[in-house]
Amino acid sequence: MIVKHFLNKQIGDMAPVVKTTWIAVLCVGMAVKLGVSLEEGTEPTEQDSKEPCARWMRGVAGTPGFDGIPGRDGRDGREGETGDRAAPASEGPKGEPGEPGDEGSTGKRGFPGNPGLKGENGESSFPYHSAFSMGLTGEVSTASGAPIRFTKTYYNEQHHYDEISGKFRCTVPGIYYFTYHLTIHGKETKVAMFQNGKTVAFTLDQFHSGNVDQASGGAILNLAAGDEVWLQLYGEDAFDAGIYADNNNDSTFTGFLLTPKILSNPFDNRRR
């Protein structure tokens, strides 16, 4: 036992190679001791007779082995019984509205739709009308200072031009455009456009022998209700003017409303 204790102490302090050597020496010593015990007639113990020294003296632990191959999957278990149906949950509180999402991409253009039903007639954006276009039927023969009477009607639906007096009388106040085109033959002719007795346009045609001339003029006038516009010969010898019309030549006087000026107070339309 003294030798065993001594060897164990020495083996614990030495390297693995030295330990192996001491184990071998220990086995030899135990064998010698066993032999001496048999020669002296002593009976070995039960442990000495059945187990070698390697069984009752543990050796150095070996290196762990490699992991084994994973086993196969087990069989599926049997389907369990259907559980009891749970009671419906109560509705939770309504959440706050989320933020608007990003605008989506423009979709493809659809097919044209069927034509819609015809709408009702709307109100005219220009309910006020005033226009005329008159012409001569022959040669002018009138005294100086009197309006030229145009009796051939091209358009005078509102009858704002008076064929008897030869004057246009304003009924719808506003901005008007007036123009005239006269055929001249025979002598020099002077023609003027008048508004309420004042000259607003003047035309002089110097006739050349053997020719037929055209005298024309025009003006944009701002008229109030009751204003009058007309054409008349101008000069001392106006009675013998060469203004005329026939099947091949016309002399015309035309005027029409451009922009009405209807005010809420009717007295504002008085002549200024």
mmCIF file with all atom_site columns, all heavy atoms in Angstrom, residues 201-224:
data_model
loop_
_atom_site.group_PDB
_atom_site.id
_atom_site.type_symbol
_atom_site.label_atom_id
_atom_site.label_alt_id
_atom_site.label_comp_id
_atom_site.label_asym_id
_atom_site.label_entity_id
_atom_site.label_seq_id
_atom_site.pdbx_PDB_ins_code
_atom_site.Cartn_x
_atom_site.Cartn_y
_atom_site.Cartn_z
_atom_site.occupancy
_atom_site.B_iso_or_equiv
_atom_site.pdbx_formal_charge
_atom_site.auth_seq_id
_atom_site.auth_comp_id
_atom_site.auth_asym_id
_atom_site.auth_atom_id
_atom_site.pdbx_PDB_model_num
ATOM 1   N N   . ALA A 1 201 ? -66.361 111.639 -89.194  1.00 0.00 ? 201 ALA A N   1
ATOM 2   C CA  . ALA A 1 201 ? -65.519 111.107 -90.272  1.00 0.00 ? 201 ALA A CA  1
ATOM 3   C C   . ALA A 1 201 ? -65.818 111.892 -91.536  1.00 0.00 ? 201 ALA A C   1
ATOM 4   O O   . ALA A 1 201 ? -66.964 112.291 -91.789  1.00 0.00 ? 201 ALA A O   1
ATOM 5   C CB  . ALA A 1 201 ? -65.785 109.620 -90.482  1.00 0.00 ? 201 ALA A CB  1
ATOM 6   N N   . PHE A 1 202 ? -64.786 112.094 -92.372  1.00 0.00 ? 202 PHE A N   1
ATOM 7   C CA  . PHE A 1 202 ? -64.935 112.915 -93.572  1.00 0.00 ? 202 PHE A CA  1
ATOM 8   C C   . PHE A 1 202 ? -64.177 112.253 -94.716  1.00 0.00 ? 202 PHE A C   1
ATOM 9   O O   . PHE A 1 202 ? -63.046 111.782 -94.547  1.00 0.00 ? 202 PHE A O   1
ATOM 10  C CB  . PHE A 1 202 ? -64.394 114.321 -93.308  1.00 0.00 ? 202 PHE A CB  1
ATOM 11  C CG  . PHE A 1 202 ? -64.520 115.245 -94.478  1.00 0.00 ? 202 PHE A CG  1
ATOM 12  C CD1 . PHE A 1 202 ? -65.702 115.912 -94.726  1.00 0.00 ? 202 PHE A CD1 1
ATOM 13  C CD2 . PHE A 1 202 ? -63.450 115.446 -95.345  1.00 0.00 ? 202 PHE A CD2 1
ATOM 14  C CE1 . PHE A 1 202 ? -65.817 116.774 -95.806  1.00 0.00 ? 202 PHE A CE1 1
ATOM 15  C CE2 . PHE A 1 202 ? -63.562 116.303 -96.415  1.00 0.00 ? 202 PHE A CE2 1
ATOM 16  C CZ  . PHE A 1 202 ? -64.751 116.966 -96.657  1.00 0.00 ? 202 PHE A CZ  1
ATOM 17  N N   . THR A 1 203 ? -64.814 112.198 -95.931  1.00 0.00 ? 203 THR A N   1
ATOM 18  C CA  . THR A 1 203 ? -64.201 111.578 -97.098  1.00 0.00 ? 203 THR A CA  1
ATOM 19  C C   . THR A 1 203 ? -64.340 112.508 -98.292  1.00 0.00 ? 203 THR A C   1
ATOM 20  O O   . THR A 1 203 ? -65.434 113.035 -98.569  1.00 0.00 ? 203 THR A O   1
ATOM 21  C CB  . THR A 1 203 ? -64.867 110.225 -97.427  1.00 0.00 ? 203 THR A CB  1
ATOM 22  O OG1 . THR A 1 203 ? -64.728 109.362 -96.314  1.00 0.00 ? 203 THR A OG1 1
ATOM 23  C CG2 . THR A 1 203 ? -64.220 109.592 -98.647  1.00 0.00 ? 203 THR A CG2 1
ATOM 24  N N   . LEU A 1 204 ? -63.235 112.692 -99.023  1.00 0.00 ? 204 LEU A N   1
ATOM 25  C CA  . LEU A 1 204 ? -63.225 113.508 -100.244 1.00 0.00 ? 204 LEU A CA  1
ATOM 26  C C   . LEU A 1 204 ? -62.744 112.626 -101.396 1.00 0.00 ? 204 LEU A C   1
ATOM 27  O O   . LEU A 1 204 ? -61.676 112.019 -101.321 1.00 0.00 ? 204 LEU A O   1
ATOM 28  C CB  . LEU A 1 204 ? -62.297 114.716 -100.091 1.00 0.00 ? 204 LEU A CB  1
ATOM 29  C CG  . LEU A 1 204 ? -62.006 115.515 -101.371 1.00 0.00 ? 204 LEU A CG  1
ATOM 30  C CD1 . LEU A 1 204 ? -63.297 116.127 -101.930 1.00 0.00 ? 204 LEU A CD1 1
ATOM 31  C CD2 . LEU A 1 204 ? -60.948 116.589 -101.108 1.00 0.00 ? 204 LEU A CD2 1
ATOM 32  N N   . ASP A 1 205 ? -63.558 112.550 -102.444 1.00 0.00 ? 205 ASP A N   1
ATOM 33  C CA  . ASP A 1 205 ? -63.170 111.793 -103.636 1.00 0.00 ? 205 ASP A CA  1
ATOM 34  C C   . ASP A 1 205 ? -63.010 112.772 -104.787 1.00 0.00 ? 205 ASP A C   1
ATOM 35  O O   . ASP A 1 205 ? -63.963 113.454 -105.183 1.00 0.00 ? 205 ASP A O   1
ATOM 36  C CB  . ASP A 1 205 ? -64.223 110.743 -103.981 1.00 0.00 ? 205 ASP A CB  1
ATOM 37  C CG  . ASP A 1 205 ? -63.834 109.952 -105.222 1.00 0.00 ? 205 ASP A CG  1
ATOM 38  O OD1 . ASP A 1 205 ? -62.954 109.068 -105.100 1.00 0.00 ? 205 ASP A OD1 1
ATOM 39  O OD2 . ASP A 1 205 ? -64.396 110.235 -106.300 1.00 0.00 ? 205 ASP A OD2 1
ATOM 40  N N   . GLN A 1 206 ? -61.804 112.848 -105.356 1.00 0.00 ? 206 GLN A N   1
ATOM 41  C CA  . GLN A 1 206 ? -61.532 113.697 -106.505 1.00 0.00 ? 206 GLN A CA  1
ATOM 42  C C   . GLN A 1 206 ? -61.683 112.859 -107.765 1.00 0.00 ? 206 GLN A C   1
ATOM 43  O O   . GLN A 1 206 ? -60.817 112.044 -108.095 1.00 0.00 ? 206 GLN A O   1
ATOM 44  C CB  . GLN A 1 206 ? -60.123 114.290 -106.402 1.00 0.00 ? 206 GLN A CB  1
ATOM 45  C CG  . GLN A 1 206 ? -59.982 115.261 -105.250 1.00 0.00 ? 206 GLN A CG  1
ATOM 46  C CD  . GLN A 1 206 ? -58.578 115.835 -105.150 1.00 0.00 ? 206 GLN A CD  1
ATOM 47  O OE1 . GLN A 1 206 ? -57.601 115.187 -105.525 1.00 0.00 ? 206 GLN A OE1 1
ATOM 48  N NE2 . GLN A 1 206 ? -58.478 117.059 -104.630 1.00 0.00 ? 206 GLN A NE2 1
ATOM 49  N N   . PHE A 1 207 ? -62.787 113.056 -108.427 1.00 0.00 ? 207 PHE A N   1
ATOM 50  C CA  . PHE A 1 207 ? -63.125 112.218 -109.573 1.00 0.00 ? 207 PHE A CA  1
ATOM 51  C C   . PHE A 1 207 ? -62.232 112.520 -110.770 1.00 0.00 ? 207 PHE A C   1
ATOM 52  O O   . PHE A 1 207 ? -61.917 113.678 -111.057 1.00 0.00 ? 207 PHE A O   1
ATOM 53  C CB  . PHE A 1 207 ? -64.597 112.435 -109.946 1.00 0.00 ? 207 PHE A CB  1
ATOM 54  C CG  . PHE A 1 207 ? -65.027 111.655 -111.136 1.00 0.00 ? 207 PHE A CG  1
ATOM 55  C CD1 . PHE A 1 207 ? -65.290 110.295 -111.048 1.00 0.00 ? 207 PHE A CD1 1
ATOM 56  C CD2 . PHE A 1 207 ? -65.153 112.292 -112.372 1.00 0.00 ? 207 PHE A CD2 1
ATOM 57  C CE1 . PHE A 1 207 ? -65.690 109.592 -112.160 1.00 0.00 ? 207 PHE A CE1 1
ATOM 58  C CE2 . PHE A 1 207 ? -65.547 111.578 -113.494 1.00 0.00 ? 207 PHE A CE2 1
ATOM 59  C CZ  . PHE A 1 207 ? -65.817 110.216 -113.380 1.00 0.00 ? 207 PHE A CZ  1
ATOM 60  N N   . HIS A 1 208 ? -61.817 111.452 -111.489 1.00 0.00 ? 208 HIS A N   1
ATOM 61  C CA  . HIS A 1 208 ? -61.053 111.580 -112.731 1.00 0.00 ? 208 HIS A CA  1
ATOM 62  C C   . HIS A 1 208 ? -61.936 111.135 -113.886 1.00 0.00 ? 208 HIS A C   1
ATOM 63  O O   . HIS A 1 208 ? -62.607 110.096 -113.807 1.00 0.00 ? 208 HIS A O   1
ATOM 64  C CB  . HIS A 1 208 ? -59.786 110.722 -112.660 1.00 0.00 ? 208 HIS A CB  1
ATOM 65  C CG  . HIS A 1 208 ? -58.828 111.176 -111.606 1.00 0.00 ? 208 HIS A CG  1
ATOM 66  N ND1 . HIS A 1 208 ? -57.986 112.260 -111.783 1.00 0.00 ? 208 HIS A ND1 1
ATOM 67  C CD2 . HIS A 1 208 ? -58.600 110.718 -110.343 1.00 0.00 ? 208 HIS A CD2 1
ATOM 68  C CE1 . HIS A 1 208 ? -57.262 112.431 -110.676 1.00 0.00 ? 208 HIS A CE1 1
ATOM 69  N NE2 . HIS A 1 208 ? -57.615 111.498 -109.784 1.00 0.00 ? 208 HIS A NE2 1
ATOM 70  N N   . SER A 1 209 ? -61.929 111.862 -114.906 1.00 0.00 ? 209 SER A N   1
ATOM 71  C CA  . SER A 1 209 ? -62.816 111.601 -116.044 1.00 0.00 ? 209 SER A CA  1
ATOM 72  C C   . SER A 1 209 ? -62.595 110.202 -116.612 1.00 0.00 ? 209 SER A C   1
ATOM 73  O O   . SER A 1 209 ? -61.464 109.758 -116.812 1.00 0.00 ? 209 SER A O   1
ATOM 74  C CB  . SER A 1 209 ? -62.576 112.647 -117.143 1.00 0.00 ? 209 SER A CB  1
ATOM 75  O OG  . SER A 1 209 ? -63.402 112.379 -118.261 1.00 0.00 ? 209 SER A OG  1
ATOM 76  N N   . GLY A 1 210 ? -63.707 109.535 -116.865 1.00 0.00 ? 210 GLY A N   1
ATOM 77  C CA  . GLY A 1 210 ? -63.651 108.204 -117.454 1.00 0.00 ? 210 GLY A CA  1
ATOM 78  C C   . GLY A 1 210 ? -63.502 107.076 -116.455 1.00 0.00 ? 210 GLY A C   1
ATOM 79  O O   . GLY A 1 210 ? -63.443 105.912 -116.861 1.00 0.00 ? 210 GLY A O   1
ATOM 80  N N   . ASN A 1 211 ? -63.489 107.379 -115.167 1.00 0.00 ? 211 ASN A N   1
ATOM 81  C CA  . ASN A 1 211 ? -63.311 106.343 -114.144 1.00 0.00 ? 211 ASN A CA  1
ATOM 82  C C   . ASN A 1 211 ? -64.514 106.281 -113.206 1.00 0.00 ? 211 ASN A C   1
ATOM 83  O O   . ASN A 1 211 ? -65.274 107.241 -113.085 1.00 0.00 ? 211 ASN A O   1
ATOM 84  C CB  . ASN A 1 211 ? -62.055 106.612 -113.314 1.00 0.00 ? 211 ASN A CB  1
ATOM 85  C CG  . ASN A 1 211 ? -60.784 106.481 -114.137 1.00 0.00 ? 211 ASN A CG  1
ATOM 86  O OD1 . ASN A 1 211 ? -60.741 105.692 -115.097 1.00 0.00 ? 211 ASN A OD1 1
ATOM 87  N ND2 . ASN A 1 211 ? -59.770 107.243 -113.784 1.00 0.00 ? 211 ASN A ND2 1
ATOM 88  N N   . VAL A 1 212 ? -64.653 105.155 -112.552 1.00 0.00 ? 212 VAL A N   1
ATOM 89  C CA  . VAL A 1 212 ? -65.629 104.977 -111.476 1.00 0.00 ? 212 VAL A CA  1
ATOM 90  C C   . VAL A 1 212 ? -64.832 104.794 -110.193 1.00 0.00 ? 212 VAL A C   1
ATOM 91  O O   . VAL A 1 212 ? -64.037 103.867 -110.057 1.00 0.00 ? 212 VAL A O   1
ATOM 92  C CB  . VAL A 1 212 ? -66.545 103.754 -111.712 1.00 0.00 ? 212 VAL A CB  1
ATOM 93  C CG1 . VAL A 1 212 ? -67.459 103.545 -110.509 1.00 0.00 ? 212 VAL A CG1 1
ATOM 94  C CG2 . VAL A 1 212 ? -67.354 103.953 -112.975 1.00 0.00 ? 212 VAL A CG2 1
ATOM 95  N N   . ASP A 1 213 ? -65.040 105.683 -109.219 1.00 0.00 ? 213 ASP A N   1
ATOM 96  C CA  . ASP A 1 213 ? -64.258 105.663 -107.969 1.00 0.00 ? 213 ASP A CA  1
ATOM 97  C C   . ASP A 1 213 ? -65.068 105.051 -106.828 1.00 0.00 ? 213 ASP A C   1
ATOM 98  O O   . ASP A 1 213 ? -66.308 104.926 -106.902 1.00 0.00 ? 213 ASP A O   1
ATOM 99  C CB  . ASP A 1 213 ? -63.833 107.077 -107.595 1.00 0.00 ? 213 ASP A CB  1
ATOM 100 C CG  . ASP A 1 213 ? -62.808 107.645 -108.568 1.00 0.00 ? 213 ASP A CG  1
ATOM 101 O OD1 . ASP A 1 213 ? -62.209 106.835 -109.317 1.00 0.00 ? 213 ASP A OD1 1
ATOM 102 O OD2 . ASP A 1 213 ? -62.629 108.879 -108.583 1.00 0.00 ? 213 ASP A OD2 1
ATOM 103 N N   . GLN A 1 214 ? -64.318 104.712 -105.768 1.00 0.00 ? 214 GLN A N   1
ATOM 104 C CA  . GLN A 1 214 ? -64.927 104.204 -104.547 1.00 0.00 ? 214 GLN A CA  1
ATOM 105 C C   . GLN A 1 214 ? -64.461 105.084 -103.392 1.00 0.00 ? 214 GLN A C   1
ATOM 106 O O   . GLN A 1 214 ? -63.263 105.278 -103.177 1.00 0.00 ? 214 GLN A O   1
ATOM 107 C CB  . GLN A 1 214 ? -64.515 102.750 -104.272 1.00 0.00 ? 214 GLN A CB  1
ATOM 108 C CG  . GLN A 1 214 ? -65.035 101.752 -105.287 1.00 0.00 ? 214 GLN A CG  1
ATOM 109 C CD  . GLN A 1 214 ? -66.523 101.513 -105.123 1.00 0.00 ? 214 GLN A CD  1
ATOM 110 O OE1 . GLN A 1 214 ? -67.072 101.645 -104.025 1.00 0.00 ? 214 GLN A OE1 1
ATOM 111 N NE2 . GLN A 1 214 ? -67.185 101.172 -106.215 1.00 0.00 ? 214 GLN A NE2 1
ATOM 112 N N   . ALA A 1 215 ? -65.435 105.637 -102.669 1.00 0.00 ? 215 ALA A N   1
ATOM 113 C CA  . ALA A 1 215 ? -65.150 106.430 -101.469 1.00 0.00 ? 215 ALA A CA  1
ATOM 114 C C   . ALA A 1 215 ? -65.628 105.643 -100.252 1.00 0.00 ? 215 ALA A C   1
ATOM 115 O O   . ALA A 1 215 ? -66.749 105.114 -100.241 1.00 0.00 ? 215 ALA A O   1
ATOM 116 C CB  . ALA A 1 215 ? -65.845 107.782 -101.545 1.00 0.00 ? 215 ALA A CB  1
ATOM 117 N N   . SER A 1 216 ? -64.777 105.550 -99.239  1.00 0.00 ? 216 SER A N   1
ATOM 118 C CA  . SER A 1 216 ? -65.143 104.752 -98.058  1.00 0.00 ? 216 SER A CA  1
ATOM 119 C C   . SER A 1 216 ? -64.603 105.397 -96.799  1.00 0.00 ? 216 SER A C   1
ATOM 120 O O   . SER A 1 216 ? -63.679 106.216 -96.848  1.00 0.00 ? 216 SER A O   1
ATOM 121 C CB  . SER A 1 216 ? -64.615 103.320 -98.180  1.00 0.00 ? 216 SER A CB  1
ATOM 122 O OG  . SER A 1 216 ? -63.202 103.320 -98.234  1.00 0.00 ? 216 SER A OG  1
ATOM 123 N N   . GLY A 1 217 ? -65.181 105.028 -95.683  1.00 0.00 ? 217 GLY A N   1
ATOM 124 C CA  . GLY A 1 217 ? -64.742 105.508 -94.375  1.00 0.00 ? 217 GLY A CA  1
ATOM 125 C C   . GLY A 1 217 ? -65.397 104.693 -93.278  1.00 0.00 ? 217 GLY A C   1
ATOM 126 O O   . GLY A 1 217 ? -66.291 103.870 -93.527  1.00 0.00 ? 217 GLY A O   1
ATOM 127 N N   . GLY A 1 218 ? -64.951 104.908 -92.044  1.00 0.00 ? 218 GLY A N   1
ATOM 128 C CA  . GLY A 1 218 ? -65.511 104.163 -90.921  1.00 0.00 ? 218 GLY A CA  1
ATOM 129 C C   . GLY A 1 218 ? -65.071 104.758 -89.608  1.00 0.00 ? 218 GLY A C   1
ATOM 130 O O   . GLY A 1 218 ? -64.118 105.551 -89.539  1.00 0.00 ? 218 GLY A O   1
ATOM 131 N N   . ALA A 1 219 ? -65.766 104.377 -88.525  1.00 0.00 ? 219 ALA A N   1
ATOM 132 C CA  . ALA A 1 219 ? -65.431 104.883 -87.196  1.00 0.00 ? 219 ALA A CA  1
ATOM 133 C C   . ALA A 1 219 ? -66.063 103.979 -86.131  1.00 0.00 ? 219 ALA A C   1
ATOM 134 O O   . ALA A 1 219 ? -67.103 103.347 -86.362  1.00 0.00 ? 219 ALA A O   1
ATOM 135 C CB  . ALA A 1 219 ? -65.916 106.317 -87.030  1.00 0.00 ? 219 ALA A CB  1
ATOM 136 N N   . ILE A 1 220 ? -65.407 103.918 -84.960  1.00 0.00 ? 220 ILE A N   1
ATOM 137 C CA  . ILE A 1 220 ? -65.952 103.241 -83.776  1.00 0.00 ? 220 ILE A CA  1
ATOM 138 C C   . ILE A 1 220 ? -66.447 104.323 -82.831  1.00 0.00 ? 220 ILE A C   1
ATOM 139 O O   . ILE A 1 220 ? -65.684 105.224 -82.439  1.00 0.00 ? 220 ILE A O   1
ATOM 140 C CB  . ILE A 1 220 ? -64.890 102.357 -83.090  1.00 0.00 ? 220 ILE A CB  1
ATOM 141 C CG1 . ILE A 1 220 ? -64.457 101.227 -84.027  1.00 0.00 ? 220 ILE A CG1 1
ATOM 142 C CG2 . ILE A 1 220 ? -65.424 101.785 -81.781  1.00 0.00 ? 220 ILE A CG2 1
ATOM 143 C CD1 . ILE A 1 220 ? -63.361 100.348 -83.461  1.00 0.00 ? 220 ILE A CD1 1
ATOM 144 N N   . LEU A 1 221 ? -67.729 104.226 -82.454  1.00 0.00 ? 221 LEU A N   1
ATOM 145 C CA  . LEU A 1 221 ? -68.355 105.269 -81.655  1.00 0.00 ? 221 LEU A CA  1
ATOM 146 C C   . LEU A 1 221 ? -68.929 104.691 -80.370  1.00 0.00 ? 221 LEU A C   1
ATOM 147 O O   . LEU A 1 221 ? -69.441 103.565 -80.342  1.00 0.00 ? 221 LEU A O   1
ATOM 148 C CB  . LEU A 1 221 ? -69.472 105.948 -82.460  1.00 0.00 ? 221 LEU A CB  1
ATOM 149 C CG  . LEU A 1 221 ? -69.067 106.566 -83.804  1.00 0.00 ? 221 LEU A CG  1
ATOM 150 C CD1 . LEU A 1 221 ? -70.295 107.153 -84.490  1.00 0.00 ? 221 LEU A CD1 1
ATOM 151 C CD2 . LEU A 1 221 ? -67.986 107.611 -83.618  1.00 0.00 ? 221 LEU A CD2 1
ATOM 152 N N   . ASN A 1 222 ? -68.845 105.494 -79.315  1.00 0.00 ? 222 ASN A N   1
ATOM 153 C CA  . ASN A 1 222 ? -69.447 105.151 -78.028  1.00 0.00 ? 222 ASN A CA  1
ATOM 154 C C   . ASN A 1 222 ? -70.782 105.892 -77.941  1.00 0.00 ? 222 ASN A C   1
ATOM 155 O O   . ASN A 1 222 ? -70.820 107.115 -77.795  1.00 0.00 ? 222 ASN A O   1
ATOM 156 C CB  . ASN A 1 222 ? -68.515 105.558 -76.886  1.00 0.00 ? 222 ASN A CB  1
ATOM 157 C CG  . ASN A 1 222 ? -69.057 105.141 -75.529  1.00 0.00 ? 222 ASN A CG  1
ATOM 158 O OD1 . ASN A 1 222 ? -70.069 104.446 -75.424  1.00 0.00 ? 222 ASN A OD1 1
ATOM 159 N ND2 . ASN A 1 222 ? -68.388 105.579 -74.473  1.00 0.00 ? 222 ASN A ND2 1
ATOM 160 N N   . LEU A 1 223 ? -71.878 105.135 -78.045  1.00 0.00 ? 223 LEU A N   1
ATOM 161 C CA  . LEU A 1 223 ? -73.203 105.748 -78.131  1.00 0.00 ? 223 LEU A CA  1
ATOM 162 C C   . LEU A 1 223 ? -74.002 105.505 -76.861  1.00 0.00 ? 223 LEU A C   1
ATOM 163 O O   . LEU A 1 223 ? -73.921 104.434 -76.247  1.00 0.00 ? 223 LEU A O   1
ATOM 164 C CB  . LEU A 1 223 ? -73.966 105.185 -79.336  1.00 0.00 ? 223 LEU A CB  1
ATOM 165 C CG  . LEU A 1 223 ? -73.313 105.346 -80.707  1.00 0.00 ? 223 LEU A CG  1
ATOM 166 C CD1 . LEU A 1 223 ? -74.243 104.783 -81.779  1.00 0.00 ? 223 LEU A CD1 1
ATOM 167 C CD2 . LEU A 1 223 ? -72.963 106.798 -80.984  1.00 0.00 ? 223 LEU A CD2 1
ATOM 168 N N   . ALA A 1 224 ? -74.783 106.496 -76.508  1.00 0.00 ? 224 ALA A N   1
ATOM 169 C CA  . ALA A 1 224 ? -75.766 106.366 -75.438  1.00 0.00 ? 224 ALA A CA  1
ATOM 170 C C   . ALA A 1 224 ? -77.137 106.200 -76.076  1.00 0.00 ? 224 ALA A C   1
ATOM 171 O O   . ALA A 1 224 ? -77.342 106.440 -77.274  1.00 0.00 ? 224 ALA A O   1
ATOM 172 C CB  . ALA A 1 224 ? -75.726 107.600 -74.538  1.00 0.00 ? 224 ALA A CB  1
#
